[in-house]
Amino acid sequence: MRMREMNTKKMKNKGEVLLMCLLAAVLPACGSPSGERIAEIQGMYADLVNLHNEVVEVYASLEDDSYQEELDAMAERIDSIGQQDAQEMTSEELNAVVGEMSTYEETYNEMMASMNEMKEGEKEKKIYEVPVTIENNTGVVIHNLYLYKDSDPDKGENLVGDAGFLDGFQTLNILNLFMEEDEMLWHLEATEESEKVVASVDIDFTGKTDGTTIVIKFSFDSMEGWVEFE
């Protein structure tokens, strides 16, 4: 008699992860030690499948997909264990199955703990709306001005906008930048009409989420630009 029969289905957005569904057990109550042992192992198997289901459900709710291959492999192996005829197995083989299932149980519990931490981390992600003013204090007319996340190669729109330029001592009105805690590093690029670089510098908004003024400065001696904060 097989330990359990098992159906599988795919979880949304987790195409290869298997969700196993138990059917009712039909083990006769024979009362013999071997029968009791088999019943014990079948119960352990049922608990393991239920634990697998719980892990899969938590995993399906995460953005992370790093457990995909491992869960697929474990589901396949558990399915294989469930297809074995426990009544035809020796005591040594049953003990080996128990040991293997115990190992899987430990692994699932570790996964569950890790996934719950990841889930809490995703919930706790905070998006900061940072008001920023940019002051051109270079004496150079800026025709192209970009401020973008360092992790994103897309510069976005030219902040000079419809005005066409930012005068040599002109201030750009407040911008509202949106960023998460791991997105505090940005890059500022300012160029003249000929696209000659006036300033190209990294901007770290760590500690400046309440708002800041970026002052672009330029040295005609070194022909280099930099920024200061107010």
Side-chain angles (χ1 to χ4, degrees):
M1 180 179 297
R2 293 176 181 173
M3 295 183 186
R4 294 280 182 168
E5 294 185 22
M6 185 169 57
N7 294 330
T8 62
K9 68 178 181 180
K10 295 181 179 180
M11 293 294 287
K12 183 179 180 181
N13 298 327
K14 301 288 185 178
E16 297 301 322
V17 176
L18 302 177
L19 177 62
M20 295 179 285
C21 305
L22 290 175
L23 299 180
V26 289
L27 181 73
C30 56
S32 66
S34 59
E36 291 174 0
R37 178 62 167 160
I38 292 173
E40 178 186 350
I41 295 173
Q42 285 183 324
M44 183 178 181
Y45 181 78
D47 291 340
L48 184 62
V49 171
N50 287 333
L51 181 57
H52 172 88
N53 289 345
E54 292 175 11
V55 172
V56 169
E57 289 176 5
V58 173
Y59 179 59
S61 69
L62 296 174
E63 296 178 4
D64 183 272
D65 62 356
S66 59
Y67 287 104
Q68 186 81 47
E69 292 184 4
E70 188 175 2
L71 277 173
D72 286 346
M74 291 173 71
E76 183 177 352
R77 177 53 187 155
I78 293 171
D79 189 10
S80 176
I81 291 174
Q83 300 306 313
Q84 298 180 66
D85 192 335
Q87 290 183 329
E88 293 184 358
M89 298 173 70
T90 65
S91 295
E92 290 76 11
E93 290 171 335
L94 289 174
N95 289 337
V97 167
V98 169
E100 186 174 6
M101 288 195 294
S102 295
T103 299
Y104 277 127
E105 182 181 3
E106 292 178 5
T107 302
Y108 279 130
N109 285 329
E110 291 172 359
M111 281 184 175
M112 182 69 83
S114 176
M115 289 178 187
N116 283 330
E117 288 182 5
M118 293 164 63
K119 194 170 184 177
E120 287 301 315
E122 289 179 359
K123 288 181 181 178
E124 292 172 1
K125 276 187 177 180
K126 181 176 180 180
I127 298 178
Y128 295 90
E129 183 177 354
V130 183
V132 175
T133 300
I134 300 178
E135 179 182 322
N136 181 15
N137 194 21
T138 64
V140 179
V141 177
I142 294 174
H143 285 262
N144 302 287
L145 180 62
Y146 300 97
L147 183 59
Y148 54 95
K149 295 174 184 177
D150 186 69
S151 59
D152 187 354
D154 184 3
K155 297 179 181 179
E157 296 183 5
N158 183 2
L159 298 181
V160 170
D162 296 334
F165 63 89
L166 192 64
D167 208 351
F169 296 96
Q170 186 178 356
T171 298
L172 187 66
N173 290 331
I174 290 178
L175 308 168
N176 288 319
L177 304 180
F178 296 89
M179 63 191 74
E180 295 179 359
E181 290 184 1
D182 58 352
E183 298 175 328
M184 295 294 178
L185 185 61
W186 289 54
H187 191 82
L188 180 144
E189 179 181 297
T191 64
E192 296 180 289
E193 186 175 14
S194 64
E195 297 191 358
K196 182 178 179 180
V197 175
V198 177
S200 180
V201 294
D202 289 334
I203 306 290
D204 189 351
F205 285 101
T206 302
K208 302 179 179 65
T209 54
D210 290 335
T212 188
T213 296
I214 301 173
V215 183
I216 309 173
K217 296 194 173 184
F218 185 80
S219 170
F220 287 94
D221 293 330
S222 64
M223 300 302 290
E224 292 180 347
W226 71 95
V227 297
E228 296 178 359
F229 298 95
E230 290 184 354

